Amino acid sequence: MGRVTVRRAVERVSPSGRRRRIDALAAEEPMELRVDGKALAVTMRTPGHDVELAHGFLLSEGVIGSVEDIVVARYCDGVGPDGLNTYNVLDVALADGVPPPDTGVERNFYTTSSCGVCGKGALDAVKLKTRYSPAADEVTVTPEALTGFPDALRERQKVFESTGGLHAAGLFVDGELLVVREDVGRHNAVDKVLGWAVLQNLVPVRGAVLMVSGRASFELVQKAAMAGIAVLAAVSAPSSLAVELAEEQGMTLIGFLRGDSMNVYTGGERVVETA
């Protein structure tokens, strides 16, 4: 798995005693995102699918709306002590006519792996307006289909299987799991999925359910809305602001999706008994 995991020696302590063993850890490294050569943000992420991460981040921040808005994404600089490229600096060139990021998108130094909105330049910049209204999507999904999504997502979490330390996001269309991405940051996992959709020219994403392995925060609802995704489901709880934003955007927000039950916080009309 390359840089996705790191092997470290640990001391295992249990009632049967102590023993040394090798443990696999989820890798976490900084990635600096530049736009047209100018530093925009630094995020702590699990290496891998960095181009998707950049596309998804820029989509969710309203900088781009489609794959045509980016000419090229390439690694640059980022030389480590050994003189080799660390692949931790990614520069994205915008297409002609695409406005540069607003100053509100800039992060004050970095975003942590747990929070994608920490360090926003201005509070007003947190609440963005989507180009693709989720309210226009008439997608429906049955409770039976929804209750199968967590297990389907879990089965595709290959790195989590070895480390136990990653979040995951997956995109379901007509019950089929199209893509899964893992990351130490829940917002990064979602950005990678959204970036995949951008690169596949699927934005706005219609007829889909975005499934996340943790809680449903405001930032994840915002990211889904920016891609036009109408249904967001999570295995854990949403925040109050996440529910408010989902309702405002005309989205369906589902939490505590576990076993054969769930809580539908907004947009219950999309959860139907028959497809």
Side-chain angles (χ1 to χ4, degrees):
M1 296 181 183
R3 294 165 61 221
V4 177
T5 60
V6 177
R7 297 175 65 81
R8 293 293 299 267
V10 300
E11 185 177 21
R12 174 76 170 174
V13 180
S14 68
S16 60
R18 297 169 176 252
R19 64 186 180 91
R20 300 286 292 179
R21 54 170 289 186
I22 299 297
D23 194 25
L25 305 178
E28 182 176 26
E29 297 182 14
M31 187 187 82
E32 179 182 324
L33 177 60
R34 299 177 183 176
V35 175
D36 292 328
K38 180 182 178 182
L40 180 67
V42 175
T43 186
M44 301 302 295
R45 96 308 189 191
T46 298
H49 305 289
D50 290 336
V51 173
E52 291 178 351
L53 174 60
H55 280 72
F57 175 80
L58 294 174
L59 172 73
S60 66
E61 294 292 341
V63 178
I64 66 170
S66 70
V67 65
E68 288 81 12
D69 290 341
I70 290 180
V71 176
V72 66
R74 62 182 181 85
Y75 290 103
C76 59
D77 294 347
V79 177
D82 55 5
L84 300 177
N85 195 322
T86 62
Y87 297 98
N88 283 336
V89 181
L90 191 70
D91 192 13
V92 171
L94 299 178
D96 291 341
V98 178
D102 183 80
T103 54
V105 177
E106 294 180 1
R107 298 297 198 259
N108 296 330
F109 183 52
Y110 74 94
T111 66
T112 71
S113 58
S114 61
C115 178
V117 296
C118 301
K120 275 280 193 176
L123 185 59
D124 290 343
V126 171
K127 199 169 185 179
L128 302 174
K129 182 175 177 61
T130 179
R131 309 181 191 189
Y132 312 112
S133 173
D137 193 346
E138 298 180 356
V139 60
T140 59
V141 61
T142 66
E144 291 75 20
L146 284 165
T147 55
F149 290 174
D151 286 344
L153 183 67
R154 178 68 178 80
E155 290 172 2
R156 295 270 294 272
Q157 291 179 245
K158 302 303 183 183
V159 185
F160 180 87
E161 188 68 32
S162 63
T163 66
L166 291 179
H167 295 281
L171 196 63
F172 290 84
V173 175
D174 294 330
E176 179 185 358
L177 182 52
L178 299 184
V179 60
V180 175
R181 293 292 181 261
E182 297 179 273
D183 200 278
V184 287
R186 60 174 58 89
H187 63 286
N188 287 337
V190 170
D191 277 343
K192 289 177 179 180
V193 167
L194 299 187
W196 175 88
V198 171
L199 292 168
Q200 297 296 318
N201 204 23
L202 295 178
V203 178
V205 182
R206 300 304 192 194
V209 176
L210 178 63
M211 178 79 213
V212 296
S213 62
R215 63 185 177 87
S217 62
F218 167 86
E219 58 174 335
L220 298 192
V221 173
Q222 176 181 280
K223 288 177 181 297
M226 294 298 285
I229 297 174
V231 184
L232 174 62
V235 299
S236 193
S239 68
S240 62
L241 195 56
V243 175
E244 291 176 18
L245 182 61
E247 186 171 50
E248 177 185 299
Q249 292 293 328
M251 294 173 59
T252 297
L253 180 59
I254 298 165
F256 292 107
L257 180 53
R258 304 170 183 174
D260 59 359
S261 66
M262 68 199 75
N263 289 349
V264 181
Y265 293 89
T266 64
E269 69 279 358
R270 291 192 178 94
V271 181
V272 298
E273 296 305 317
T274 56

